[in-house]
């Protein structure tokens, strides 16, 4: 299956949901007037895009319709697609791994797909000839290490682990040493999604970041926040909470295959100005795509 087909398949539910509503509006299409635009705006809001972002899209569309004198259905649809693409296209979506070694810290609340995404990303990097080390810095959840070991094996990556309950920052410290020792290209750090409480979680995260900043001062750093696409609008508050603690460089949006709420990604990007770097479209190792705004917009509208 080609990249675009896979993306489209992963986005089937989102596409069906958004398209059905949009087609309803267009089926009553007579002319581009304020009523039509209002209905369209309502559809965007109902598609988890968020009120502010939906309003902005419609405002931009309104201006274009006027300026370019758009009249027919196809033109308006195409313009809508382009406006969505523009919002999503905020910066380069590729990972910045310019030094050897580079480091990727993966964060997010529990169950969103951090460990799975690490497996998928490690596999991609390995396939491109990179030597990858994974730090098992989720020392809180029982079985987290075994799960990560399975993924590391599948991805052809090295894992650095310690016993349950040890300080996660010390695991990261060990993993940095290992990365240097074997001359690896990339270190990826898994983290816990749940600890005793939220403050504890954020404190641990800060400790891990301090170790990375100190020991890998000169290295390229990516901090990827993993978000479950089914979270819809609530994802925005998750992004805000983590943004206070970490310099997030990208978002990994998982489980798009299981939800009709994929439209939320548009609001997430617009409100935070953080690029989506990857999207997860299934549970298998190859079910991850590099995010592409144009393809995404085309796949949903
Ligand atoms: N359908 C689908 N399932 C996914 C995707 N990504 C992850 N999952 C599933 O989501 C569940 C949780 O994934 P994990 O990778 O364990 O999530 P986590 O964030 O590491 O969880 P904690 O370590 O408990 O915080 C697993 O059953 C995964 O198979 C995806 O893109 N699509
Ligand atoms: Mg995990």
């Amino acid at each position: 299956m080609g990249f675009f087909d896979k993306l489209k398949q992963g986005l089937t539910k989102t596409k069906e949901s958004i398209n059905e509503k949009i087609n309803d509006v267009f089926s009553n299409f007579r002319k581009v007037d304020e009523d039509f635009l209002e209905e369209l705006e309502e559809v965007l809001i109902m598609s988890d895009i968020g009120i502010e972002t939906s309003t902005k899209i419609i405002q931009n569309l309104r201006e274009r319709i006027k300026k370019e004198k758009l009249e027919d259905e196809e033109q308006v649809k195409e313009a809508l697609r382009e406006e969505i693409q523009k919002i999503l296209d905020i910066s380069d979506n590729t990972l910045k791994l310019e030094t050897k070694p580079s480091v990727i810290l993966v964060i997010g609340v529990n169950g969103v797909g951090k460990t799975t995404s690490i497996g998928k990303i490690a596999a991609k990097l390995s396939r491109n000839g990179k030597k990858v080390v994974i730090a098992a810095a989720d020392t809180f959840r029982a079985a987290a290490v075994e799960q990560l070991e399975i993924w590391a094996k599948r991805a052809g990556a090295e894992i650095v682990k310690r016993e349950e309950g040890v300080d996660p920052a010390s695991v990261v410290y060990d993993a940095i040493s290992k990365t240097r020792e074997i001359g690896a290209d990339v270190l990826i750090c898994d983290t816990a999604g749940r600890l005793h409480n939220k403050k504890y979680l954020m404190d641990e995260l800060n400790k891990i970041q301090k170790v990375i900043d100190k020991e890998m001062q000169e290295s390229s750093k990516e901090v990827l926040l993993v978000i479950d696409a089914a979270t819809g609008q609530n994802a925005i508050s998750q992004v805000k909470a983590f943004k206070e603690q970490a310099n997030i460089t990208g978002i990994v949006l998982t489980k798009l295959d299981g939800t009709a709420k994929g439209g939320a990604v548009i609001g997430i990007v617009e409100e935070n100005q953080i690029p989506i770097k990857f999207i997860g479209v299934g549970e298998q190792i190859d079910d991850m795509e590099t995010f592409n705004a144009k393809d995404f917009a085309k796949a949903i509208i």
Side-chain angles (χ1 to χ4, degrees):
M1 216 192 300
F3 163 75
F4 188 65
D5 291 326
K6 203 159 176 188
L7 177 72
K8 247 170 97 173
Q9 197 191 49
L11 284 167
T12 305
K13 287 187 184 165
T14 297
K15 184 186 164 85
E16 276 171 3
S17 150
I18 296 185
N19 260 350
E20 195 186 307
K21 295 184 206 125
I22 286 187
N23 287 340
D24 272 354
V25 178
F26 276 96
S27 70
N28 296 323
F29 184 92
R30 268 181 213 93
K31 61 177 188 323
V32 190
D33 56 14
E34 231 3 80
D35 283 348
F36 168 79
L37 287 171
E38 260 170 40
E39 271 181 54
L40 205 54
E41 183 172 344
E42 231 167 83
V43 165
L44 298 184
I45 293 169
M46 283 191 303
S47 305
D48 290 277
I49 293 174
I51 295 178
E52 271 175 51
T53 308
S54 300
T55 308
K56 181 174 171 183
I57 292 170
I58 295 298
Q59 183 52 27
N60 292 348
L61 188 64
R62 184 183 284 118
E63 280 163 19
R64 272 188 71 173
I65 287 169
K66 215 168 139 192
K67 210 167 106 203
E68 297 169 27
K69 301 194 171 56
L70 306 181
E71 283 172 349
D72 72 74
E73 191 177 326
E74 262 321 301
Q75 286 177 323
V76 176
K77 246 190 196 174
E78 180 58 32
L80 176 62
R81 213 177 278 137
E82 282 170 13
E83 289 308 319
I84 289 176
Q85 182 190 328
K86 251 191 246 165
I87 286 184
L88 292 171
D89 226 350
I90 53 167
S91 68
D92 188 357
N93 301 105
T94 54
L95 290 176
K96 299 278 166 302
L97 304 172
E98 279 143 7
T99 59
K100 179 179 175 169
S102 302
V103 59
I104 307 173
L105 177 64
V106 179
I107 59 178
V109 300
N110 65 297
V112 286
K114 293 180 294 299
T115 304
T116 308
S117 298
I118 286 169
K120 293 171 177 175
I121 293 170
K124 267 186 199 294
L125 293 170
S126 295
R127 231 178 285 132
N128 290 332
K130 303 268 189 214
K131 202 168 184 178
V132 181
V133 172
I134 302 176
D138 178 356
T139 58
F140 184 74
R141 187 169 64 81
V145 175
E146 285 116 89
Q147 183 198 3
L148 191 63
E149 263 181 318
I150 295 169
W151 276 109
K153 203 166 177 192
R154 278 184 200 144
E158 192 94 23
I159 185 168
V160 173
K161 56 172 182 172
R162 295 265 301 276
E163 64 277 20
E164 207 179 303
V166 303
D167 176 8
S170 72
V171 180
V172 170
Y173 187 89
D174 289 354
I176 293 171
S177 306
K178 181 78 177 181
T179 303
R180 292 239 163 78
E181 187 189 309
I182 66 169
D185 299 283
V186 186
L187 167 64
I188 310 179
C189 305
D190 193 13
T191 59
R194 180 171 23 214
L195 288 179
H196 305 285
N197 60 50
K198 194 180 143 207
K199 184 179 178 300
Y200 202 80
L201 180 78
M202 294 304 180
D203 287 350
E204 285 298 352
L205 213 56
N206 283 332
K207 257 170 91 181
I208 291 174
Q209 290 190 101
K210 276 199 187 119
V211 170
I212 291 174
D213 287 342
K214 182 153 175 269
E215 302 297 322
M216 297 184 81
Q217 249 177 49
E218 311 291 315
S219 298
S220 299
K221 296 179 193 72
E222 286 277 354
V223 179
L224 300 180
L225 175 67
V226 182
I227 300 271
D228 178 342
T231 323
Q233 278 298 292
N234 292 332
I236 291 179
S237 60
Q238 274 178 32
V239 179
K240 294 216 161 100
F242 279 96
K243 236 165 100 172
E244 285 169 18
Q245 308 295 329
N247 180 22
I248 304 166
T249 56
I251 289 171
V252 179
L253 195 71
T254 59
K255 310 190 195 184
L256 266 169
D257 51 306
T259 180
K261 295 183 174 174
V265 53
I266 302 163
I268 295 172
V269 173
E270 164 65 16
E271 290 190 30
N272 295 288
Q273 295 296 304
I274 298 173
I276 307 284
K277 298 230 166 170
F278 294 106
I279 55 174
V281 290
E283 294 186 277
Q284 304 305 312
I285 199 156
D286 289 327
D287 294 334
M288 175 169 271
E289 306 290 350
T290 304
F291 185 75
N292 175 300
K294 190 171 180 190
D295 287 347
F296 190 91
K298 216 165 84 184
I300 59 168
I301 292 189

Short mmCIF file of all heavy atoms in Angstrom, two decimals, residues 105 168-170 172-173 176 202-217 221 223 245-246:
data_model
loop_
_atom_site.label_atom_id
_atom_site.label_comp_id
_atom_site.label_asym_id
_atom_site.label_seq_id
_atom_site.Cartn_x
_atom_site.Cartn_y
_atom_site.Cartn_z
N LEU A 105 13.35 12.71 23.45
CA LEU A 105 12.65 12.42 24.70
C LEU A 105 11.17 12.31 24.37
O LEU A 105 10.61 13.18 23.71
CB LEU A 105 12.90 13.56 25.70
CG LEU A 105 12.18 13.47 27.05
CD1 LEU A 105 12.65 12.25 27.84
CD2 LEU A 105 12.41 14.74 27.87
N PRO A 168 14.30 7.24 37.31
CA PRO A 168 14.33 7.24 35.84
C PRO A 168 15.48 8.07 35.26
O PRO A 168 16.05 7.72 34.24
CB PRO A 168 12.99 7.87 35.44
CG PRO A 168 12.16 7.89 36.64
CD PRO A 168 13.02 7.72 37.84
N ALA A 169 15.83 9.16 35.95
CA ALA A 169 16.91 10.00 35.45
C ALA A 169 18.24 9.24 35.43
O ALA A 169 19.08 9.46 34.56
CB ALA A 169 17.03 11.26 36.30
N SER A 170 18.38 8.30 36.37
CA SER A 170 19.63 7.53 36.39
C SER A 170 19.67 6.52 35.23
O SER A 170 20.74 6.18 34.73
CB SER A 170 19.83 6.83 37.74
OG SER A 170 18.93 5.75 37.87
N VAL A 172 18.40 7.18 32.32
CA VAL A 172 18.76 8.03 31.17
C VAL A 172 20.27 8.30 31.19
O VAL A 172 20.93 8.24 30.15
CB VAL A 172 17.95 9.35 31.20
CG1 VAL A 172 18.47 10.34 30.16
CG2 VAL A 172 16.47 9.06 30.95
N TYR A 173 20.78 8.54 32.38
CA TYR A 173 22.23 8.77 32.52
C TYR A 173 23.01 7.56 31.99
O TYR A 173 23.94 7.70 31.18
CB TYR A 173 22.56 9.04 33.99
CG TYR A 173 23.98 9.44 34.22
CD1 TYR A 173 24.36 10.78 34.17
CD2 TYR A 173 24.96 8.48 34.47
CE1 TYR A 173 25.68 11.16 34.37
CE2 TYR A 173 26.29 8.85 34.67
CZ TYR A 173 26.64 10.18 34.61
OH TYR A 173 27.94 10.55 34.80
N ILE A 176 22.83 7.32 28.22
CA ILE A 176 23.70 8.29 27.51
C ILE A 176 25.12 7.71 27.43
O ILE A 176 25.76 7.75 26.38
CB ILE A 176 23.68 9.67 28.22
CG1 ILE A 176 22.29 10.30 28.10
CG2 ILE A 176 24.74 10.60 27.61
CD1 ILE A 176 22.09 11.56 28.94
N MET A 202 5.80 15.46 36.66
CA MET A 202 6.47 16.60 36.05
C MET A 202 7.87 16.81 36.65
O MET A 202 8.80 17.18 35.94
CB MET A 202 5.62 17.87 36.22
CG MET A 202 4.29 17.81 35.45
SD MET A 202 4.51 17.49 33.67
CE MET A 202 2.81 17.49 33.10
N ASP A 203 8.01 16.54 37.96
CA ASP A 203 9.32 16.65 38.59
C ASP A 203 10.31 15.65 37.98
O ASP A 203 11.46 15.97 37.71
CB ASP A 203 9.22 16.41 40.10
CG ASP A 203 8.58 17.59 40.82
OD1 ASP A 203 8.40 18.64 40.16
OD2 ASP A 203 8.25 17.45 42.01
N GLU A 204 9.82 14.43 37.79
CA GLU A 204 10.68 13.40 37.18
C GLU A 204 11.11 13.81 35.79
O GLU A 204 12.26 13.63 35.39
CB GLU A 204 9.93 12.06 37.09
CG GLU A 204 9.78 11.35 38.40
CD GLU A 204 11.13 10.96 39.01
OE1 GLU A 204 12.19 11.11 38.35
OE2 GLU A 204 11.13 10.51 40.16
N LEU A 205 10.16 14.37 35.08
CA LEU A 205 10.43 14.80 33.71
C LEU A 205 11.52 15.87 33.70
O LEU A 205 12.43 15.86 32.88
CB LEU A 205 9.13 15.36 33.13
CG LEU A 205 8.90 15.18 31.65
CD1 LEU A 205 8.97 13.71 31.28
CD2 LEU A 205 7.51 15.72 31.29
N ASN A 206 11.41 16.80 34.65
CA ASN A 206 12.42 17.85 34.75
C ASN A 206 13.80 17.29 35.06
O ASN A 206 14.80 17.73 34.52
CB ASN A 206 12.01 18.86 35.82
CG ASN A 206 10.95 19.80 35.31
OD1 ASN A 206 10.87 20.05 34.10
ND2 ASN A 206 10.11 20.27 36.20
N LYS A 207 13.82 16.29 35.94
CA LYS A 207 15.10 15.67 36.30
C LYS A 207 15.74 15.01 35.07
O LYS A 207 16.94 15.14 34.83
CB LYS A 207 14.88 14.62 37.39
CG LYS A 207 15.30 15.11 38.77
CD LYS A 207 14.85 14.17 39.85
CE LYS A 207 15.87 13.09 40.19
NZ LYS A 207 15.36 12.18 41.26
N ILE A 208 14.89 14.32 34.32
CA ILE A 208 15.39 13.66 33.11
C ILE A 208 15.95 14.70 32.13
O ILE A 208 17.03 14.54 31.57
CB ILE A 208 14.27 12.83 32.45
CG1 ILE A 208 13.92 11.62 33.33
CG2 ILE A 208 14.68 12.37 31.05
CD1 ILE A 208 12.73 10.81 32.84
N GLN A 209 15.19 15.78 31.99
CA GLN A 209 15.64 16.82 31.06
C GLN A 209 16.94 17.46 31.50
O GLN A 209 17.80 17.79 30.66
CB GLN A 209 14.56 17.90 30.92
CG GLN A 209 13.33 17.40 30.19
CD GLN A 209 12.38 18.52 29.85
OE1 GLN A 209 12.33 18.99 28.73
NE2 GLN A 209 11.63 18.96 30.84
N LYS A 210 17.10 17.61 32.80
CA LYS A 210 18.35 18.20 33.31
C LYS A 210 19.54 17.31 32.98
O LYS A 210 20.60 17.79 32.59
CB LYS A 210 18.24 18.40 34.83
CG LYS A 210 17.54 19.70 35.15
CD LYS A 210 17.82 20.16 36.58
CE LYS A 210 16.95 21.37 36.89
NZ LYS A 210 16.04 21.11 38.03
N VAL A 211 19.34 15.99 33.16
CA VAL A 211 20.43 15.06 32.84
C VAL A 211 20.79 15.17 31.35
O VAL A 211 21.97 15.26 30.99
CB VAL A 211 20.02 13.60 33.20
CG1 VAL A 211 21.03 12.61 32.65
CG2 VAL A 211 19.89 13.45 34.71
N ILE A 212 19.77 15.20 30.52
CA ILE A 212 20.01 15.29 29.07
C ILE A 212 20.72 16.60 28.73
O ILE A 212 21.71 16.62 28.00
CB ILE A 212 18.69 15.15 28.28
CG1 ILE A 212 18.14 13.72 28.41
CG2 ILE A 212 18.90 15.51 26.80
CD1 ILE A 212 16.77 13.52 27.79
N ASP A 213 20.21 17.70 29.29
CA ASP A 213 20.81 19.00 28.98
C ASP A 213 22.27 19.07 29.42
O ASP A 213 23.10 19.66 28.74
CB ASP A 213 20.01 20.13 29.66
CG ASP A 213 18.67 20.36 28.98
OD1 ASP A 213 18.53 19.91 27.83
OD2 ASP A 213 17.78 20.97 29.60
N LYS A 214 22.55 18.45 30.54
CA LYS A 214 23.91 18.52 31.08
C LYS A 214 24.85 17.58 30.33
O LYS A 214 25.94 17.98 29.94
CB LYS A 214 23.85 18.13 32.56
CG LYS A 214 25.18 18.20 33.27
CD LYS A 214 25.00 18.46 34.76
CE LYS A 214 26.34 18.41 35.48
NZ LYS A 214 26.67 17.07 35.99
N GLU A 215 24.38 16.36 30.11
CA GLU A 215 25.26 15.35 29.52
C GLU A 215 25.31 15.39 28.00
O GLU A 215 26.19 14.82 27.38
CB GLU A 215 24.83 13.94 29.98
CG GLU A 215 24.82 13.74 31.49
CD GLU A 215 26.20 13.90 32.11
OE1 GLU A 215 27.18 13.47 31.48
OE2 GLU A 215 26.29 14.50 33.21
N MET A 216 24.31 15.99 27.40
CA MET A 216 24.28 16.03 25.93
C MET A 216 24.10 17.47 25.46
O MET A 216 23.30 17.74 24.56
CB MET A 216 23.16 15.12 25.41
CG MET A 216 23.35 13.67 25.76
SD MET A 216 22.09 12.58 25.06
CE MET A 216 22.70 12.36 23.38
N GLN A 217 24.86 18.34 26.06
CA GLN A 217 24.73 19.77 25.79
C GLN A 217 24.76 20.14 24.31
O GLN A 217 24.01 20.98 23.85
CB GLN A 217 25.88 20.50 26.50
CG GLN A 217 25.42 21.34 27.65
CD GLN A 217 26.60 21.98 28.36
OE1 GLN A 217 27.48 22.56 27.73
NE2 GLN A 217 26.63 21.80 29.67
N LYS A 221 18.21 17.97 20.03
CA LYS A 221 17.22 17.38 20.93
C LYS A 221 15.83 17.51 20.36
O LYS A 221 15.43 18.59 19.91
CB LYS A 221 17.24 18.08 22.30
CG LYS A 221 18.53 17.90 23.04
CD LYS A 221 18.51 18.64 24.37
CE LYS A 221 19.90 18.73 24.96
NZ LYS A 221 20.81 19.66 24.26
N VAL A 223 11.87 16.83 21.67
CA VAL A 223 10.97 16.42 22.74
C VAL A 223 9.61 16.19 22.10
O VAL A 223 8.96 17.13 21.63
CB VAL A 223 10.87 17.49 23.85
CG1 VAL A 223 9.91 17.03 24.94
CG2 VAL A 223 12.25 17.78 24.46
N GLN A 245 6.32 22.39 31.17
CA GLN A 245 7.47 21.65 31.72
C GLN A 245 8.55 21.36 30.70
O GLN A 245 9.70 21.10 31.07
CB GLN A 245 6.99 20.30 32.30
CG GLN A 245 5.86 20.41 33.27
CD GLN A 245 6.25 21.16 34.52
OE1 GLN A 245 7.40 21.11 34.95
NE2 GLN A 245 5.30 21.88 35.10
N ALA A 246 8.19 21.35 29.46
CA ALA A 246 9.16 20.89 28.46
C ALA A 246 9.09 21.73 27.20
O ALA A 246 8.04 22.28 26.87
CB ALA A 246 8.87 19.42 28.12
#
